[in-house]
Amino acid sequence: MKSNQMDFCDLLKLCTGCKETLLKTEFNKDAGKEDGLQTQCRKCKHAAQRKDYRKKKDVYIERQRKRRKAEPEKKQANEAVRRAIRKGVLVRPESCTECGQSHMRIEAHHHKGYAKEDRLNVVFLCTSCHRAAENQ
């Protein structure tokens, strides 16, 4: 009986944001942490990120303007994908095609580049897999 109780406790973690004890599945991954999970649950982390964005909105907008100006092909490719999704030409899946995760945002990855002929040649990845693919 004691081993079952220990097993259940291994599934729980205290959120430093809301101070609630939640299932570990409520936390995103963080390889830098001892247990491999972020210290705040997804809900608290999202609230903190929104608060930070509102506080530094001008900085983020200016950074985005500079990035888009420096990479016009990338901007055009991303807009082409958005239009194709809206028109139904491309369908964004519910889960990542790489790892199968469905709780994270699913993004289009231009794995062959941003050239005009490859604008709609994308794979749909979660944010983590997309970052990993971009850094390869």
Side-chain angles (χ1 to χ4, degrees), residues 64-79:
Q64 185 71 1
R65 271 194 201 117
K66 286 180 183 177
R67 192 178 306 127
R68 285 188 175 165
K69 192 174 182 179
E71 301 171 323
E73 280 187 339
K74 186 174 181 178
K75 179 184 176 192
Q76 291 168 350
N78 288 335
E79 287 174 356

Side-chain angles (χ1 to χ4, degrees), residues 29 93-106 124-129:
K29 294 179 182 178
E94 295 291 320
S95 60
C96 176
T97 56
E98 182 75 23
C99 69
Q101 293 287 341
S102 60
H103 67 273
M104 296 180 87
R105 178 180 168 168
I106 305 300
F124 288 96
L125 304 174
C126 68
T127 305
S128 295
C129 291

Side-chain angles (χ1 to χ4, degrees), residues 30-44:
D30 186 344
K33 301 291 185 231
E34 190 174 317
D35 65 354
L37 300 171
Q38 292 180 345
T39 58
Q40 293 182 339
C41 67
R42 286 191 191 100
K43 194 174 180 179
C44 290

Side-chain angles (χ1 to χ4, degrees), residues 4 10 14 19-21 27-28 33 35 39 59 68-69 79 86 108 115 127 133-134:
N4 287 343
D10 290 341
L14 178 67
K19 307 294 187 214
E20 290 184 37
T21 301
F27 295 82
N28 285 326
K33 301 291 185 231
D35 65 354
T39 58
V59 173
R68 285 188 175 165
K69 192 174 182 179
E79 287 174 356
R86 192 171 48 243
T127 305
E134 290 285 329

Side-chain angles (χ1 to χ4, degrees), residues 8-27 39 41:
F8 182 70
C9 290
D10 290 341
L11 300 175
L12 301 175
K13 180 177 172 97
L14 178 67
C15 173
T16 59
C18 60
K19 307 294 187 214
E20 290 184 37
T21 301
L22 303 167
L23 289 172
K24 287 185 176 181
T25 56
E26 296 298 315
F27 295 82
T39 58
C41 67

Side-chain angles (χ1 to χ4, degrees), residues 83-94:
R83 282 192 301 273
I85 290 171
R86 192 171 48 243
K87 290 178 181 178
V89 175
L90 288 177
V91 178
R92 185 188 312 266
E94 295 291 320

